[in-house]
Amino acid sequence: MARWDPGAEQRLKQAALELYLEHGYDNVTVTHIAERAGLTRRSYFRYFPDKREVLFGGSERLPPALAEAILAADPDAPPLTAALDALTRVGAQLTEHMDGATQRRAVIDASPELQERERTKTAAITEAIRDALKQRQVNTDTAELVAQLATVASTNAFRRWIETEGRASFDSCLNAVTNELRATLTET
C-alpha cells in the first residue's frame, strides 16, 4: 500500500461519521474506521492521534486564524466589534468547507467525551480572542468579557447555521444572535 493515499483523510472522516451515527461513538474503534475507509489502523494514526480527533481535525487552526483576524481589524473598532467581525470572516470560511455538520453535531451531542472535547476547543477560541484583544491594548477584564461574549455568540450562531442545514449564511446567523444579545443586555 502506498505511504500516501490521496483522499485518505476525507475517507477516514466520512467513515468515522457514518460509523458513529450507525453504532454510537463508544461502540466504534479506530480499526473499524480504518477498515470502513479501506485503510489500515496504522494509516489512521498518520492523520489523527485518536478516535475523537477525526471529528475535530483542523480545529487547532481556528484560534490562530481568529487572533489574526482580530489583529487585522480596524484599529478604531471597539473590542466586541473587532471580535465579531473576525468571527464573521473566519466563520464564513469555515462553514464553506464543512461537510456533514448536522451529523457531526448529532454525534457530539450524544457523547459526553466529545462534548468535553468541544468545550476544550471552545476554551481555546475564547483564549485566542482574549489574547488578541489584549494585543490591541484592551484591558484584561474587558478582553476576557468580550472574548466570552463573542464565543457564546459564535457558538450559538454556529448551532443555528447547522439547524438551517446551511441554507442561511453563518454571517446572518451571527448577526441574529448578536442582535438578540445586544437587546438582552440593554433590557431594563
Side-chain angles (χ1 to χ4, degrees):
M1 182 175 290
R3 288 194 55 77
W4 181 77
D5 185 3
E9 183 175 3
Q10 188 57 37
R11 288 199 329 266
L12 288 166
K13 288 179 179 181
Q14 184 62 38
L17 192 56
E18 290 170 1
L19 287 166
Y20 293 159
L21 289 167
E22 291 169 16
H23 304 287
Y25 172 78
D26 291 331
N27 299 316
V28 175
T29 66
V30 167
T31 301
H32 294 137
I33 297 167
E35 287 174 356
R36 171 75 64 100
L39 298 165
T40 65
R41 180 179 164 86
R42 184 174 176 169
S43 294
Y44 178 93
F45 288 111
R46 286 189 185 116
Y47 297 94
F48 307 104
D50 60 41
K51 75 176 195 171
R52 289 178 311 173
E53 292 307 308
V54 72
L55 293 174
F56 297 97
S59 65
E60 71 282 352
R61 294 188 306 258
L62 188 55
L66 284 168
E68 183 179 317
I70 290 169
L71 293 172
D74 178 356
D76 296 325
L80 186 58
T81 300
L84 292 173
D85 287 350
L87 285 163
T88 297
R89 283 191 304 266
V90 174
Q93 292 171 356
L94 176 69
T95 55
E96 283 178 17
H97 300 90
M98 185 167 245
D99 296 324
T102 303
Q103 296 85 358
R104 179 183 173 277
R105 180 83 262 149
V107 170
I108 292 170
D109 287 347
S111 169
E113 181 180 343
L114 295 174
Q115 290 169 26
E116 179 61 31
R117 176 63 181 92
E118 182 85 350
R119 284 189 291 274
T120 300
K121 183 183 89 171
T122 301
I125 290 167
T126 303
E127 184 178 313
I129 294 170
R130 182 201 62 215
D131 291 349
L133 290 171
K134 286 170 59 178
Q135 287 182 45
R136 288 174 57 100
Q137 307 307 312
V138 175
N139 77 59
T140 300
D141 290 339
T142 300
E144 183 69 35
L145 179 61
V146 168
Q148 290 172 0
L149 287 171
T151 302
V152 166
S154 176
T155 300
N156 280 276
F158 189 66
R159 188 171 287 277
R160 284 185 187 196
W161 177 80
I162 289 171
E163 289 169 357
T164 70
E165 296 179 353
R167 289 186 303 276
S169 69
F170 178 78
D171 181 35
S172 68
C173 293
L174 185 58
N175 283 336
V177 169
T178 301
N179 290 338
E180 289 174 22
L181 179 60
R182 285 185 171 126
T184 301
L185 291 173
T186 59
E187 285 179 357
T188 55

